[in-house]
Amino acid sequence: MSKNDFYKKLEDVVRTGKAPYVIESGQGAYLTINGKKKLNFCSSHYLGFAEDQRLKTAVKKAVEKYGVGTGYRTLAGTHTLHLELEEAIAKFKGTEASVVFSSAYMANAAAIQTIIGKEDIVISDELNHASIIDAVRLSGVKNKFIYKHADTSDLEEKLKEAQKVQKAPKSDGEEPLILIVTDGVFSMDGDLAPLPGIVRLAEKYKALTMVDDAHGEGVLGKGGRGVVDHYGLVGKIDIEIGSLSKAFSVIGGFIAGNRTLIGYYNLKARQRLFSIAPTIPDTAASLEAIRILQKSDAAVKKLWENVNYVRNEFKKLGFDTGNSQTPITPVMLGSDEVAKEFSTRLFDEGVFATPIVFPMVAKGAARIRVIPSASQSRKDLDVGIKAFEKIGRQLGVIK
Ligand SMILES: *Cc1c(COP(=O)(O)O)cnc(C)c1O
């Protein structure tokens, strides 16, 4: 392809791309878009920390004391705040240690690429997050098995196949390693990975387990400790991934696990060696968010109160809200067109909730994914529910 044709091809794609909404406010109960207030009804700021005064104060103090930038961890970038944050995360998750990265995308890449080589084996849920899929690709592993979503019998079939592959030693003579990897919470439907079954099978087949809990931390388990705590499996998962960008409302990701594993990542993860560490304000804000949760589960309780209220009201109105076990509340609308029209009309009513359409979900399974947050009052939630009722009737989704 000539350079001209190449740019023409890109132009065709860019022309059809939709410009993003531009937010002119903080990410609280409401957003300001084009100068107008819209209920923030689909964000992952579960706990309302994005505008929390305690996080703001912690950031100001840390910036006054330490400035902004840090550095590369292995050179001169490991700051006492990083170590405090890693210790706080490990304590929160109930693991021996943790290591932070600039995002969960990075943490997933590091978690898999560092320990999995071409001749090892990865077994992955078919609906895993894009960052896991990319991380598996980055490792260059050839033996990939994809099991049916949340299906432990299919996982066992794949483990049996993996066991056969495992019989042939790698070129260095070692036995291939088997890694089972899954999202903890699946973000389109809000359902959970069947972790007890996965852990049982991993023990039977001597495989490592990895759980990406980006949507579970701050939300599930005791005081928001995540999906592993929710199932009472603390200490039973080898590799736990978390994001500091969802419930914690900052930026960053981490791997939590035993001391040996984290020690190995500290020495070997390319994402830690060759990419910058989180900045002072990011680290201070994340640390404060975790300290708040260590002290009190008030925000988590408020989140769930709000979620239960919205979901009950939606059900009473006759909406199909799927089978979510988390605050992710899909309002099922069928066709892409209905979902897009529904979202446009919500916007006109002062409610921001974007449509989820093909290829993010299957054809015919389009939806609006509502996520209430702890920052909202009953009155705020009623604004959203009333708008859903009005437009649901207009579009014939409910009677
Ligand atoms: C959002 C998300 C990520 C990416 O998190 P970042 O910290 O924004 O990179 C990774 N995994 C899952 C399951 C997610 O939902």
Side-chain angles (χ1 to χ4, degrees), residues 103-105 108 129 131 183 185 187 212 214-215 243-246 252-253:
S103 68
Y105 188 100
N108 271 324
H129 189 263
S131 59
D183 278 21
V185 174
S187 58
D212 175 352
H215 280 280
S243 173
L244 298 164
S245 73
K246 303 271 162 69

Side-chain angles (χ1 to χ4, degrees), residues 119 168-176:
E119 298 166 293
K170 302 199 281 189
S171 28
D172 62 5
E174 277 181 5
E175 189 180 49

Side-chain angles (χ1 to χ4, degrees), residues 44 46 101-108 127-132 182-187 212-216 241-246 250-254 328 369:
S44 308
Y46 292 102
F101 295 87
S102 53
S103 68
Y105 188 100
M106 283 289 219
N108 271 324
L127 293 188
N128 275 345
H129 189 263
S131 59
I132 294 177
T182 181
D183 278 21
V185 174
F186 291 87
S187 58
D212 175 352
D213 202 22
H215 280 280
I241 303 297
S243 173
L244 298 164
S245 73
K246 303 271 162 69
V250 193
I251 187 175
F254 60 83
I328 293 166
R369 186 178 59 164

Side-chain angles (χ1 to χ4, degrees), residues 112-122 136 138-143 170 176-177:
I112 298 180
Q113 185 195 23
T114 312
I115 58 165
I116 295 292
K118 276 206 284 290
E119 298 166 293
D120 291 308
I121 302 160
V122 174
V136 172
L138 186 62
S139 76
V141 69
K142 280 180 300 187
N143 307 307
K170 302 199 281 189
L177 181 68

Side-chain angles (χ1 to χ4, degrees), residues 276-295:
I276 200 77
T279 66
I280 296 292
D282 295 328
T283 310
S286 300
L287 185 56
E288 183 62 20
I290 295 197
R291 282 185 177 150
I292 291 170
L293 288 183
Q294 290 280 28
K295 272 185 262 171

